[in-house]
């Protein structure tokens, strides 16, 4: 959009100036509002005209639009109208589009938890890929009852419990693979009722003993 423009020209030249301005860029069209009783409202101001005995100086404030403002300025200057420019502001600048938040399914390098719907058991896992991709693999294994490839599938086949896919969560994220494996093992051993087949096994036995003692308390 283009803001209001105020200018001072001879009364008989106003229509010709308006015609010139509107011929510069068809998509930008001006309308004309004349002063009334030597007063003119402009933005939040009430502009008073100079006394006729004082020399009138033309002045205009217009937004700067590359390729449009320059010819308008030349036209106004030809009518002895001084031009001041101001930054052009679009609705896109006012209502900046925020970045879309990263969803749980889009997060990577994650240690995650998938709970059982029917008891307190939960599965702890880790993945470098997007969590949503890994979650779909778990769901497929459970659906096909592939017990040999999935602790979750084996669990559901043996217990007839259902998995709370919608309540799955990201525990934490860490980019380094070895550190992620260590943290996965830590969370498996500190969980109240993990349904994993093993304890991860990476932390030293002394640490695992402390974690299990903490979980038991």
């Amino acid at each position: 959009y283009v803001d209001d423009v105020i200018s001072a020209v001879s009364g008989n030249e106003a229509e010709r100036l308006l015609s010139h301005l509107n011929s510069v860029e068809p998509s930008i069209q001006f309308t004309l509002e004349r002063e009334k009783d030597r007063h003119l409202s402009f933005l939040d101001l009430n502009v008073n005209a100079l006394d006729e005995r004082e020399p009138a100086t033309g002045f205009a404030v217009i937004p700067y639009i590359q390729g449009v403002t320059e010819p308008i300025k030349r036209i106004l200057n030809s009518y002895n109208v001084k031009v001041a420019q101001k930054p052009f502001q679009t609705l896109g600048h006012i209502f900046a589009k925020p970045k879309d938040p990263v969803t749980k399914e889009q997060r990577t390098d994650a240690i995650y938890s998938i709970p059982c719907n029917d008891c307190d058991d939960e599965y702890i896992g880790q993945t470098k890929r997007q969590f949503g991709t890994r979650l779909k693999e778990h769901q497929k294994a459970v659906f096909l009852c592939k017990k040999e490839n999935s602790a979750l599938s084996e669990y559901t086949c043996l217990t007839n419990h259902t998995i709370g896919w919608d309540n799955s969560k990201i525990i934490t994220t860490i980019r380094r693979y070895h550190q992620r494996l260590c943290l996965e093992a830590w969370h498996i051993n500190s969980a109240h009722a993990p349904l994993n087949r093993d304890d991860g096994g990476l932390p030293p036995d002394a640490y695992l003993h402390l974690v299990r003692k903490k979980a038991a308390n």
Side-chain angles (χ1 to χ4, degrees), residues 34-40 47-49:
R34 298 179 182 273
E35 67 176 16
K36 184 177 181 180
D37 297 328
R38 304 187 63 76
H39 296 280
L40 181 65
V47 181
N48 298 318

Side-chain angles (χ1 to χ4, degrees), residues 71-117:
I72 293 177
K73 182 178 179 180
R74 287 194 295 269
I75 293 171
L76 291 174
N77 287 339
S78 69
Y79 288 90
N80 198 28
V81 177
K82 294 183 179 180
V83 176
Q85 301 173 10
K86 66 176 182 178
F88 176 67
Q89 192 176 41
T90 66
L91 293 177
H93 294 139
I94 298 173
F95 303 105
K97 183 180 179 181
K99 291 184 177 179
D100 294 332
V102 177
T103 65
K104 174 180 66 177
E105 289 75 17
Q106 292 173 324
R107 296 180 68 181
T108 59
D109 301 312
I111 298 169
Y112 58 87
S113 167
I114 302 175
C116 175
N117 267 334

Side-chain angles (χ1 to χ4, degrees), residues 4-208:
D4 293 341
V5 176
I6 186 171
S7 61
V9 295
S10 300
N12 57 354
E13 295 291 338
E15 294 292 344
R16 193 158 69 92
L17 174 59
L18 179 66
S19 178
H20 274 293
L21 292 176
N22 287 338
S23 67
V24 174
E25 174 55 55
S27 64
I28 300 178
Q29 296 293 294
F30 294 86
T31 58
L32 178 63
E33 181 181 354
R34 298 179 182 273
E35 67 176 16
K36 184 177 181 180
D37 297 328
R38 304 187 63 76
H39 296 280
L40 181 65
S41 296
F42 177 65
L43 301 178
D44 295 327
L45 303 176
N46 184 28
V47 181
N48 298 318
L50 295 173
D51 189 275
E52 292 181 355
R53 293 170 295 180
E54 299 180 20
T57 302
F59 182 76
V61 180
I62 61 176
Y64 178 76
I65 307 172
Q66 186 175 5
V68 176
T69 301
E70 293 87 348
I72 293 177
K73 182 178 179 180
R74 287 194 295 269
I75 293 171
L76 291 174
N77 287 339
S78 69
Y79 288 90
N80 198 28
V81 177
K82 294 183 179 180
V83 176
Q85 301 173 10
K86 66 176 182 178
F88 176 67
Q89 192 176 41
T90 66
L91 293 177
H93 294 139
I94 298 173
F95 303 105
K97 183 180 179 181
K99 291 184 177 179
D100 294 332
V102 177
T103 65
K104 174 180 66 177
E105 289 75 17
Q106 292 173 324
R107 296 180 68 181
T108 59
D109 301 312
I111 298 169
Y112 58 87
S113 167
I114 302 175
C116 175
N117 267 334
D118 303 299
C119 65
D120 293 334
D121 292 350
E122 63 176 329
Y123 177 82
I124 307 295
Q126 68 83 25
T127 182
K128 177 179 177 61
R129 297 171 296 161
Q130 288 190 347
F131 174 61
T133 301
R134 186 69 182 111
L135 192 65
K136 289 178 181 178
E137 292 175 345
H138 284 304
Q139 291 171 330
K140 182 178 179 180
V142 169
F143 178 77
L144 297 176
C145 201
K146 291 185 176 181
K147 295 185 290 185
E148 67 280 3
N149 297 325
S150 169
L152 276 171
S153 179
E154 181 181 34
Y155 175 82
T156 56
C157 290
L158 294 176
T159 63
N160 288 324
H161 286 191
T162 59
I163 302 300
W165 304 112
D166 292 338
N167 295 321
S168 61
K169 64 180 180 180
I170 304 294
I171 299 174
T172 188
T173 58
I174 186 167
R175 296 183 64 181
R176 294 188 177 182
Y177 175 67
H178 188 76
Q179 292 179 1
R180 194 165 63 247
L181 290 180
C182 288
L183 276 178
E184 178 196 29
W186 179 277
H187 284 287
I188 290 173
N189 286 277
S190 61
H192 175 67
L195 59 85
N196 297 65
R197 287 172 173 167
D198 55 54
D199 57 16
L202 283 177
D205 290 340
Y207 286 100
L208 289 178

